[in-house]
PDB file of all heavy atoms in Angstrom:
ATOM      1  N   TYR A  92     -24.244  25.146   9.282  1.00 62.00           N
ATOM      2  CA  TYR A  92     -24.255  24.219   8.155  1.00 62.00           C
ATOM      3  C   TYR A  92     -25.644  23.615   8.018  1.00 62.00           C
ATOM      4  O   TYR A  92     -26.053  22.759   8.793  1.00 62.00           O
ATOM      5  CB  TYR A  92     -23.206  23.126   8.338  1.00 62.00           C
ATOM      6  CG  TYR A  92     -21.854  23.539   7.825  1.00 62.00           C
ATOM      7  CD1 TYR A  92     -21.044  24.366   8.582  1.00 62.00           C
ATOM      8  CD2 TYR A  92     -21.414  23.146   6.573  1.00 62.00           C
ATOM      9  CE1 TYR A  92     -19.817  24.779   8.110  1.00 62.00           C
ATOM     10  CE2 TYR A  92     -20.184  23.548   6.092  1.00 62.00           C
ATOM     11  CZ  TYR A  92     -19.398  24.371   6.864  1.00 62.00           C
ATOM     12  OH  TYR A  92     -18.182  24.782   6.384  1.00 62.00           O
ATOM     13  N   CYS A  93     -26.367  24.090   7.044  1.00 51.00           N
ATOM     14  CA  CYS A  93     -27.662  23.539   6.695  1.00 51.00           C
ATOM     15  C   CYS A  93     -28.654  23.557   7.849  1.00 51.00           C
ATOM     16  O   CYS A  93     -29.033  22.503   8.359  1.00 51.00           O
ATOM     17  CB  CYS A  93     -27.520  22.127   6.171  1.00 51.00           C
ATOM     18  SG  CYS A  93     -26.217  21.997   4.949  1.00 51.00           S
ATOM     19  N   PRO A  94     -29.065  24.730   8.303  1.00 42.00           N
ATOM     20  CA  PRO A  94     -30.079  24.790   9.367  1.00 42.00           C
ATOM     21  C   PRO A  94     -31.314  23.996   8.972  1.00 42.00           C
ATOM     22  O   PRO A  94     -31.777  24.065   7.841  1.00 42.00           O
ATOM     23  CB  PRO A  94     -30.383  26.290   9.470  1.00 42.00           C
ATOM     24  CG  PRO A  94     -29.178  26.972   8.899  1.00 42.00           C
ATOM     25  CD  PRO A  94     -28.686  26.054   7.818  1.00 42.00           C
ATOM     26  N   GLY A  95     -31.805  23.220   9.914  1.00 38.00           N
ATOM     27  CA  GLY A  95     -33.003  22.434   9.651  1.00 38.00           C
ATOM     28  C   GLY A  95     -32.728  21.081   9.050  1.00 38.00           C
ATOM     29  O   GLY A  95     -33.619  20.257   8.911  1.00 38.00           O
ATOM     30  N   GLY A  96     -31.458  20.836   8.697  1.00 39.00           N
ATOM     31  CA  GLY A  96     -31.117  19.542   8.114  1.00 39.00           C
ATOM     32  C   GLY A  96     -31.185  18.454   9.160  1.00 39.00           C
ATOM     33  O   GLY A  96     -31.180  18.708  10.358  1.00 39.00           O
ATOM     34  N   THR A  97     -31.249  17.230   8.726  1.00 35.00           N
ATOM     35  CA  THR A  97     -31.296  16.116   9.657  1.00 35.00           C
ATOM     36  C   THR A  97     -30.292  15.074   9.227  1.00 35.00           C
ATOM     37  O   THR A  97     -29.842  15.039   8.096  1.00 35.00           O
ATOM     38  CB  THR A  97     -32.699  15.474   9.686  1.00 35.00           C
ATOM     39  OG1 THR A  97     -33.029  15.027   8.363  1.00 35.00           O
ATOM     40  CG2 THR A  97     -33.741  16.465  10.158  1.00 35.00           C
ATOM     41  N   GLY A  98     -29.951  14.189  10.157  1.00 34.00           N
ATOM     42  CA  GLY A  98     -29.031  13.116   9.824  1.00 34.00           C
ATOM     43  C   GLY A  98     -27.591  13.556   9.982  1.00 34.00           C
ATOM     44  O   GLY A  98     -27.277  14.727  10.138  1.00 34.00           O
ATOM     45  N   PRO A  99     -26.673  12.571   9.955  1.00 36.00           N
ATOM     46  CA  PRO A  99     -25.265  12.889  10.165  1.00 36.00           C
ATOM     47  C   PRO A  99     -24.644  13.653   9.011  1.00 36.00           C
ATOM     48  O   PRO A  99     -23.648  14.328   9.190  1.00 36.00           O
ATOM     49  CB  PRO A  99     -24.616  11.511  10.312  1.00 36.00           C
ATOM     50  CG  PRO A  99     -25.525  10.606   9.532  1.00 36.00           C
ATOM     51  CD  PRO A  99     -26.900  11.155   9.737  1.00 36.00           C
ATOM     52  N   THR A 100     -25.211  13.555   7.829  1.00 38.00           N
ATOM     53  CA  THR A 100     -24.677  14.257   6.673  1.00 38.00           C
ATOM     54  C   THR A 100     -25.763  15.128   6.093  1.00 38.00           C
ATOM     55  O   THR A 100     -26.854  14.678   5.816  1.00 38.00           O
ATOM     56  CB  THR A 100     -24.207  13.260   5.586  1.00 38.00           C
ATOM     57  OG1 THR A 100     -23.265  12.374   6.166  1.00 38.00           O
ATOM     58  CG2 THR A 100     -23.579  13.975   4.424  1.00 38.00           C
ATOM     59  N   ARG A 101     -25.464  16.414   5.935  1.00 40.00           N
ATOM     60  CA  ARG A 101     -26.480  17.331   5.453  1.00 40.00           C
ATOM     61  C   ARG A 101     -25.876  18.210   4.375  1.00 40.00           C
ATOM     62  O   ARG A 101     -24.710  18.559   4.409  1.00 40.00           O
ATOM     63  CB  ARG A 101     -26.993  18.214   6.602  1.00 40.00           C
ATOM     64  CG  ARG A 101     -27.514  17.419   7.763  1.00 40.00           C
ATOM     65  CD  ARG A 101     -28.071  18.345   8.821  1.00 40.00           C
ATOM     66  NE  ARG A 101     -27.083  19.248   9.367  1.00 40.00           N
ATOM     67  CZ  ARG A 101     -26.211  18.930  10.305  1.00 40.00           C
ATOM     68  NH1 ARG A 101     -26.178  17.699  10.772  1.00 40.00           N
ATOM     69  NH2 ARG A 101     -25.366  19.814  10.778  1.00 40.00           N
ATOM     70  N   SER A 102     -26.670  18.588   3.419  1.00 41.00           N
ATOM     71  CA  SER A 102     -26.249  19.605   2.463  1.00 41.00           C
ATOM     72  C   SER A 102     -27.380  20.604   2.347  1.00 41.00           C
ATOM     73  O   SER A 102     -28.545  20.260   2.483  1.00 41.00           O
ATOM     74  CB  SER A 102     -25.938  18.984   1.091  1.00 41.00           C
ATOM     75  OG  SER A 102     -27.103  18.470   0.521  1.00 41.00           O
ATOM     76  N   CYS A 103     -27.020  21.856   2.151  1.00 42.00           N
ATOM     77  CA  CYS A 103     -28.057  22.874   2.096  1.00 42.00           C
ATOM     78  C   CYS A 103     -28.902  22.707   0.854  1.00 42.00           C
ATOM     79  O   CYS A 103     -28.402  22.365  -0.208  1.00 42.00           O
ATOM     80  CB  CYS A 103     -27.434  24.261   2.089  1.00 42.00           C
ATOM     81  SG  CYS A 103     -26.481  24.580   3.577  1.00 42.00           S
ATOM     82  N   GLY A 104     -30.182  22.968   0.970  1.00 38.00           N
ATOM     83  CA  GLY A 104     -31.075  22.823  -0.162  1.00 38.00           C
ATOM     84  C   GLY A 104     -30.771  23.792  -1.280  1.00 38.00           C
ATOM     85  O   GLY A 104     -30.998  23.501  -2.440  1.00 38.00           O
ATOM     86  N   ARG A 105     -30.265  24.987  -0.944  1.00 40.00           N
ATOM     87  CA  ARG A 105     -29.886  25.974  -1.951  1.00 40.00           C
ATOM     88  C   ARG A 105     -28.630  26.682  -1.478  1.00 40.00           C
ATOM     89  O   ARG A 105     -28.319  26.655  -0.298  1.00 40.00           O
ATOM     90  CB  ARG A 105     -31.025  26.991  -2.152  1.00 40.00           C
ATOM     91  CG  ARG A 105     -32.210  26.457  -2.902  1.00 40.00           C
ATOM     92  CD  ARG A 105     -33.301  27.511  -2.990  1.00 40.00           C
ATOM     93  NE  ARG A 105     -33.911  27.735  -1.685  1.00 40.00           N
ATOM     94  CZ  ARG A 105     -34.778  28.714  -1.443  1.00 40.00           C
ATOM     95  NH1 ARG A 105     -35.097  29.565  -2.389  1.00 40.00           N
ATOM     96  NH2 ARG A 105     -35.309  28.865  -0.249  1.00 40.00           N
ATOM     97  N   PRO A 106     -27.944  27.347  -2.375  1.00 43.00           N
ATOM     98  CA  PRO A 106     -26.767  28.089  -1.926  1.00 43.00           C
ATOM     99  C   PRO A 106     -27.165  29.151  -0.914  1.00 43.00           C
ATOM    100  O   PRO A 106     -28.197  29.791  -1.052  1.00 43.00           O
ATOM    101  CB  PRO A 106     -26.235  28.733  -3.212  1.00 43.00           C
ATOM    102  CG  PRO A 106     -26.838  27.938  -4.324  1.00 43.00           C
ATOM    103  CD  PRO A 106     -28.159  27.454  -3.823  1.00 43.00           C
TER     104      PRO A 106
END
Side-chain angles (χ1 to χ4, degrees):
Y92 274 79
C93 313
T97 59
T100 304
R101 304 183 299 279
S102 66
C103 299
R105 287 177 290 172

